[in-house]
Amino acid sequence: DGGITQSPKYLFRKEGQNVTLSCEQNLNHDAMYWYRQDPGQGLRLIYYSQIVNDFQKGDIAEGYSVSREKKESFPLTVTSAQKNPTAFYLCASSIRQGTDGYTFGSGTRLTVV
Amino acid sequence: QKEVEQNSGPLSVPEGAIASLNCTYSDRVSQSFFWYRQYSGKSPELIMSIYSNGDKEDGRFTAQLNKASQYVSLLIRDSQPSDSATYLCAVNIRTDYKLSFGAGTTVTVRA
């Protein structure tokens, strides 16, 4: 079955450490997205990519980085520059125009320890 | 003005009643509209999509779209405790093809 796989499900980061969240899809979607969700809040867009080897900053890109070397993969790195990284991170994918909606992964819950 | 706005919650309805969720959007040329359901601690799940003016029914869910009024709604008939969740409205913003999400409305169905 096609879908999006995010790993790990839970991640703990020490102060000053970079961590990478994985997102893989086998839906043959061109576009992929990373969102952050804080408790009781809506979705905030971090980065998105509509084609391989190209990506754009979303509304809250500071302290994050991404790469899109393969169509199937869109990893997100939370760098030490992100001062408040504790949140629920969601990866999504869609056809390029987004007209069929997004399919979301199951999410990664990141906690700073 | 936010691109997508939803009626503020939380919304509490008795079991068996109709839950009515509303959403307005700012981009007059938006063409695709979606409702997602998100259970606590889980990821959003697409439950309805609508593209044309009028009503679209799927089981106990009905989506209503009025492009002239820039308004989309979701009705949940015969509400069940399993419908207790946050519902997100999403609109396809034509200029860059991304979806713009509302902040969500939390629904609680009380037995």
Side-chain angles (χ1 to χ4, degrees):
Chain A
D1 287 338
I4 298 184
T5 301
Q6 287 188 244
S7 62
K9 190 170 183 177
Y10 299 96
L11 185 58
F12 298 91
R13 192 194 93 166
K14 295 182 180 179
E15 295 281 353
Q17 195 178 44
N18 292 356
V19 292
T20 298
L21 284 59
S22 171
C23 179
E24 304 274 338
Q25 56 98 359
N26 61 2
L27 298 165
N28 199 32
H29 283 166
D30 287 310
M32 298 186 74
Y33 312 84
W34 275 105
Y35 286 89
R36 169 178 172 146
Q37 189 173 40
D38 293 282
Q41 304 294 313
L43 303 177
R44 292 190 289 169
L45 182 64
I46 304 172
Y47 269 99
Y48 66 101
S49 167
Q50 293 182 317
I51 197 167
V52 175
N53 293 322
D54 189 42
F55 49 83
Q56 284 77 42
K57 293 181 179 180
D59 301 318
I60 56 164
E62 186 175 351
Y64 300 96
S65 66
V66 294
S67 63
R68 186 86 187 278
E69 297 175 1
K70 298 187 300 181
K71 186 175 183 178
E72 301 78 18
S73 178
F74 192 40
L76 173 73
T77 296
V78 184
T79 74
S80 57
Q82 173 48 243
K83 297 307 179 187
N84 185 22
T86 295
F88 188 43
Y89 289 86
L90 289 161
C91 180
S93 72
S94 73
I95 63 172
R96 188 171 182 183
Q97 294 79 9
T99 49
D100 289 348
Y102 292 177
T103 301
F104 283 90
S106 57
T108 292
R109 193 165 299 280
L110 174 62
T111 303
V112 174
V113 296
Chain B
Q1 181 188 7
K2 293 183 180 178
E3 291 176 325
V4 180
E5 297 203 52
Q6 297 185 234
N7 52 330
S8 59
L11 179 64
S12 179
V13 298
E15 186 172 357
I18 296 175
S20 178
L21 307 172
N22 302 318
C23 175
T24 58
Y25 59 95
S26 60
D27 183 1
R28 183 170 295 277
V29 296
S30 295
Q31 297 296 320
S32 308
F33 307 87
F34 308 93
W35 284 99
Y36 286 83
R37 177 177 63 199
Q38 185 176 24
Y39 291 116
S40 181
K42 303 296 184 182
S43 63
E45 169 195 13
L46 181 64
I47 56 171
M48 288 289 283
S49 57
I50 187 166
Y51 305 95
S52 304
N53 280 330
D55 295 358
K56 179 181 178 182
E57 188 174 315
D58 184 358
R60 296 185 294 108
F61 298 101
T62 299
Q64 299 173 317
L65 175 61
N66 184 325
K67 290 185 180 180
S69 300
Q70 295 175 235
Y71 174 93
V72 58
S73 66
L74 180 71
L75 299 178
I76 307 174
R77 294 185 304 281
D78 187 25
S79 295
Q80 301 297 309
S82 60
D83 296 325
S84 297
T86 297
Y87 291 81
L88 303 170
C89 173
V91 177
N92 183 248
I93 304 299
R94 186 189 62 155
T95 53
D96 57 8
Y97 300 119
K98 297 197 308 293
L99 289 190
S100 184
F101 287 86
T105 300
T106 298
V107 174
T108 301
V109 180
R110 54 186 192 275

